[in-house]
Amino acid sequence: MVGASRTNMKEVASRAGVAMSSVSRVLSDHPDVSPTMRARVLAAVEELGYHPNMLARSLRAGQTMSIGFVVGDISNPLLAEITLGAETALREAGYSLLLTNSENQPGRDAEHIQLLQRRRVDGLLLSLASETDADTRAALAGLEQPFVLIDRELPEQPEMWAGAALSDHAAGMAAAVHHLLELGHRRIGLILGQPMRFSRERRRGLEHAFAEQRLPPSYIVLEGHLNPEHGRQATAHLLDDAEPATAIVAGGNQLLIGVLRELERRELAPGRDVSLVTCDEIPLSELFRPPIAVIQRDNRDLGRRAAELLLGAISGAEPRSDVLKTTFVPRASCAPPAVRI
Amino acid sequence: MVGASRTNMKEVASRAGVAMSSVSRVLSDHPDVSPTMRARVLAAVEELGYHPNMLARSLRAGQTMSIGFVVGDISNPLLAEITLGAETALREAGYSLLLTNSENQPGRDAEHIQLLQRRRVDGLLLSLASETDADTRAALAGLEQPFVLIDRELPEQPEMWAGAALSDHAAGMAAAVHHLLELGHRRIGLILGQPMRFSRERRRGLEHAFAEQRLPPSYIVLEGHLNPEHGRQATAHLLDDAEPATAIVAGGNQLLIGVLRELERRELAPGRDVSLVTCDEIPLSELFRPPIAVIQRDNRDLGRRAAELLLGAISGAEPRSDVLKTTFVPRASCAPPAVRI
């Protein structure tokens, strides 16, 4: 590919009767180009039938037309959907996706960022395992390529930070909690993952809903890891509490699996013995009996937006973050609190 | 990276007092190297503290240390698990994974194979959308890099075919059908996806189990696409048949979703009104009430094996295929046929 575009550039230079460096300057929108030079080069591009943008892009020094993607766990349907959205948008723009999987270990993120930098990717999409890990932050500070975060916020903004594609978790959570409060629940348990943006925003939505209804904060929030075991243990904790939770919100599909296992073990049915809401739709939430209420978002769109922000940054756009909506879908897993006999 | 390894090669050549081309020949195991030359170069490599294999690998002409992965739908948990296994094995060997997603459209496979070839990947892993598509076969015939198939079989073996990582679908299916036959089912419906290896092998397992028990072939096999809609329609067909199926086997997790939707619509419960088996474990199969019997396989291992076969081929190993086991796990969704009133 590089060979082909150098040939193209040579042909353009020869047709225009100018140096190759002049062609390069025109095509990369260098400010130091006279109008005459610009016209000559673009005329040659047109005569030769090249698409100037495509040509310019592949001519820009150091471009590999590849984007690195650092993802926590591709086998999580949530991240697989995000990857699908990003890969489609990048491929349409002529970029290939280099995928690395950190298995949710923050230490691997820094390694992978450096690996992708050595492979000279043109930019990075990051679904980091930690927002505060020192090695990760050092690796980000050392980047020479723009990067876009997916549903993550950093304590600082390194030089090459190009924005973030974020989900409005607080709005969907507030809607879910309003629904539970209206059904009569007061003791609501929220099970969260690691202390990252998605956890903070979900907690904020919960607190906001209680405050809006001028209710005392009679909720319990349990933070941990986004895995089934934390979901199971937190559910046990919520049900064994002196004042047991009558409604549980699982802050992620991996947590939901643990919640359902613990309810099953205790022979408790969602919607009958305890109300249940989950975050992020999976076939399980719709097909489970009763169907499980869910805070939905369009994960494919999240990946696509992140890719678009990065492509914008590569073309010189200013850093920008997009916040995408979440929607609460009530289902039969939410019902008035069970009467205790 | 290329820059760094050229520097390394230069240092080795200078230390050994030989030409860079001689270093390259020694490290790439070129037959045309004298024992003295070999010893001198390897001594220099050792003195400089380089790892000869790593160095040799990055020095070999044209190596980009990247592997292309053509996948049908990364958002399918099955393929996401396979990708995870492959990515981990490749990364450990120093390779990066270039991911393309064909959205299960055979036409895209050919495009992506050519794209990855232009990007000069060192090899390809292919989970093709079709085993017979003419464009795909032409693209494979034109490859200059080795490729390994994941759970696919081609009608012919193109020159660069380096083997396949396959699942033994027939064995798991035969075990499941034996179980259903022992429970008393005779009218068994098997819902399959596209006519590819996984469908042929699953059908073979079914036929084999009936033949082993010397039973007439009173099964129905419905082929279609691996999506919920085919699962739903096939279920309706099986239940509306003059002799309705008493047991249904869904040949994939996307088909299962459609089967469950249709059963729900008819208010039929798995394990009570109709027996149900699915292929490939997802949280849904274990947590559904009743839990759904499943033909399991280790998809992460499948991805890892495919990556290892490809790495072997890149190092010059002969083409080889590995067949990995599948296991039937009976669960409460399988019960004796319901008595019709």
Side-chain angles (χ1 to χ4, degrees):
Chain A
M1 265 181 125
V2 170
S5 33
R6 277 194 191 132
T7 311
N8 293 348
M9 184 155 75
K10 224 177 206 165
E11 285 177 29
V12 172
S14 146
R15 170 70 63 123
V18 302
M20 273 175 63
S21 58
S22 305
V23 176
S24 180
R25 273 207 299 279
V26 170
L27 295 176
S28 61
D29 275 333
H30 196 281
D32 209 1
V33 171
S34 73
T36 323
M37 174 67 80
R38 178 171 203 81
R40 273 171 78 172
V41 169
L42 291 180
V45 166
E46 198 168 315
E47 285 168 49
L48 290 166
Y50 294 130
H51 190 294
N53 288 344
M54 282 299 293
L55 190 62
R57 195 157 56 186
S58 59
L59 290 181
R60 246 170 253 149
Q63 286 237 344
T64 59
M65 299 305 285
S66 60
I67 299 296
F69 195 169
V70 173
V71 64
D73 177 8
I74 188 72
S75 75
N76 183 328
L78 165 67
L79 287 162
E81 285 273 349
I82 291 173
T83 306
L84 177 61
E87 193 274 335
T88 306
L90 292 173
R91 180 162 32 79
E92 285 168 5
Y95 286 82
S96 294
L97 189 70
L98 272 165
L99 183 78
T100 67
N101 196 92
S102 67
E103 301 176 47
N104 287 325
Q105 294 174 35
R108 296 242 170 120
D109 279 348
E111 266 176 51
H112 293 169
I113 291 165
Q114 284 159 352
L115 169 72
L116 291 165
Q117 187 172 22
R118 285 198 302 274
R119 297 208 70 120
R120 296 186 297 120
V121 295
D122 297 328
L124 294 96
L125 294 174
L126 305 173
S127 171
L128 299 172
S130 160
E131 293 174 341
T132 51
D133 179 72
D135 291 343
T136 304
R137 287 160 71 186
L140 292 176
L143 276 179
E144 288 159 5
Q145 301 99 327
F147 67 91
V148 165
L149 297 172
I150 301 178
D151 214 21
R152 299 289 184 275
E153 256 168 0
L154 296 173
E156 70 283 310
Q157 289 177 351
E159 195 189 341
M160 298 310 286
W161 177 83
L166 305 167
S167 297
D168 187 2
H169 300 285
M173 182 61 70
V177 173
H178 275 300
H179 180 69
L180 291 170
L181 291 172
E182 279 155 24
L183 286 169
H185 295 276
R186 290 298 176 269
R187 193 65 169 162
I188 297 176
L190 172 60
I191 307 175
L192 293 176
Q194 295 87 321
M196 291 202 274
R197 182 182 183 278
F198 51 82
S199 295
R200 286 191 299 277
E201 290 294 298
R202 285 174 177 147
R203 180 195 285 263
R204 192 165 68 81
L206 168 83
E207 293 168 353
H208 189 72
F210 270 80
E212 269 202 328
Q213 300 211 11
R214 296 172 189 280
L215 290 166
S218 53
Y219 44 76
I220 319 176
V221 181
L222 296 172
E223 280 200 349
H225 282 269
L226 281 174
N227 59 40
E229 187 48 23
H230 170 52
R232 200 195 59 70
Q233 286 180 4
T235 303
H237 183 100
L238 291 170
L239 297 173
D240 292 337
D241 194 84
E243 207 185 322
T246 60
I248 295 176
V249 183
N253 56 46
Q254 300 301 300
L255 295 171
L256 173 67
I257 293 169
V259 173
L260 290 173
R261 283 186 186 150
E262 185 61 20
L263 293 180
E264 172 71 12
R265 205 180 65 77
R266 295 172 182 239
E267 299 184 357
L268 297 175
R272 186 191 68 192
D273 306 304
V274 63
S275 284
L276 181 60
V277 174
T278 189
C279 296
D280 291 321
E281 187 88 284
I282 48 170
L284 182 61
S285 30
E286 171 213 356
L287 289 167
F288 202 82
R289 292 301 154 230
I292 301 168
V294 64
I295 301 166
Q296 289 179 342
R297 55 176 166 162
D298 186 338
N299 292 309
R300 202 176 286 207
D301 192 40
L302 189 64
R304 193 176 60 75
R305 294 288 191 99
E308 288 171 357
L309 289 173
L310 185 58
L311 292 172
I314 291 171
S315 307
E318 288 297 305
R320 196 186 86 203
S321 292
D322 279 359
V323 180
L324 307 181
K325 72 167 181 178
T326 61
T327 311
F328 173 62
V329 181
R331 289 186 181 138
S333 67
C334 293
V339 181
R340 310 210 152 251
I341 336 172
Chain B
M1 264 181 125
V2 171
S5 32
R6 279 195 190 131
T7 311
N8 294 347
M9 184 155 76
K10 225 176 204 165
E11 285 177 28
V12 172
S14 145
R15 169 70 64 121
V18 302
M20 272 174 65
S21 58
S22 306
V23 177
S24 179
R25 274 206 299 278
V26 170
L27 294 177
S28 61
D29 275 331
H30 196 281
D32 209 2
V33 171
S34 73
T36 323
M37 174 67 79
R38 180 170 201 80
R40 274 171 78 173
V41 169
L42 291 180
V45 166
E46 199 168 314
E47 285 168 48
L48 290 166
Y50 292 130
H51 189 293
N53 288 344
M54 282 300 292
L55 190 61
R57 196 158 55 187
S58 59
L59 290 181
R60 245 172 253 149
Q63 286 237 343
T64 59
M65 299 305 287
S66 60
I67 300 295
F69 195 169
V70 173
V71 64
D73 177 9
I74 189 70
S75 75
N76 184 328
L78 165 68
L79 287 162
E81 286 274 351
I82 291 173
T83 307
L84 177 62
E87 192 273 336
T88 306
L90 292 173
R91 180 162 33 78
E92 284 168 6
Y95 286 82
S96 294
L97 190 70
L98 273 164
L99 183 79
T100 67
N101 196 93
S102 68
E103 300 176 48
N104 286 326
Q105 294 175 36
R108 296 243 171 121
D109 279 348
E111 266 176 52
H112 293 168
I113 292 165
Q114 286 160 350
L115 169 73
L116 291 165
Q117 188 172 19
R118 285 198 302 275
R119 297 208 70 121
R120 296 186 295 120
V121 294
D122 298 326
L124 294 95
L125 294 174
L126 305 173
S127 171
L128 299 171
S130 161
E131 293 174 341
T132 50
D133 179 72
D135 290 343
T136 304
R137 287 160 71 186
L140 292 176
L143 276 180
E144 289 158 6
Q145 301 101 326
F147 67 90
V148 165
L149 298 172
I150 301 179
D151 214 20
R152 299 287 186 276
E153 256 169 0
L154 296 172
E156 71 282 310
Q157 290 177 352
E159 194 189 340
M160 298 310 286
W161 177 82
L166 305 167
S167 297
D168 187 2
H169 300 287
M173 182 60 70
V177 173
H178 276 300
H179 180 70
L180 291 171
L181 291 173
E182 278 155 26
L183 287 169
H185 295 276
R186 290 299 175 267
R187 193 67 169 159
I188 297 176
L190 173 59
I191 308 175
L192 292 176
Q194 295 88 321
M196 291 203 274
R197 182 182 184 278
F198 52 82
S199 295
R200 286 192 299 276
E201 290 294 298
R202 284 173 177 148
R203 179 195 286 263
R204 192 165 69 81
L206 169 82
E207 293 168 353
H208 189 72
F210 270 80
E212 268 202 328
Q213 301 210 11
R214 298 171 187 281
L215 290 167
S218 55
Y219 43 76
I220 319 176
V221 181
L222 296 172
E223 280 200 349
H225 281 270
L226 281 174
N227 59 40
E229 186 49 23
H230 170 52
R232 201 195 59 69
Q233 287 180 3
T235 302
H237 184 98
L238 291 170
L239 296 173
D240 292 338
D241 193 83
E243 207 184 322
T246 60
I248 295 176
V249 184
N253 56 45
Q254 300 302 300
L255 295 171
L256 174 67
I257 293 169
V259 174
L260 290 173
R261 282 186 187 150
E262 185 61 20
L263 293 181
E264 172 72 14
R265 206 180 64 76
R266 294 171 182 241
E267 298 183 359
L268 297 175
R272 187 191 67 191
D273 306 304
V274 63
S275 284
L276 181 59
V277 174
T278 190
C279 296
D280 293 320
E281 187 88 286
I282 49 170
L284 183 60
S285 30
E286 170 214 358
L287 289 167
F288 203 82
R289 291 302 155 230
I292 301 168
V294 65
I295 301 167
Q296 289 179 341
R297 54 176 166 162
D298 185 338
N299 291 310
R300 203 177 286 207
D301 192 40
L302 189 64
R304 193 177 59 75
R305 295 285 191 100
E308 287 171 358
L309 289 173
L310 185 58
L311 293 172
I314 291 171
S315 308
E318 288 297 304
R320 196 186 87 203
S321 291
D322 279 359
V323 180
L324 306 181
K325 72 167 182 179
T326 61
T327 311
F328 173 61
V329 181
R331 289 187 181 138
S333 67
C334 293
V339 180
R340 312 216 149 249
I341 338 174

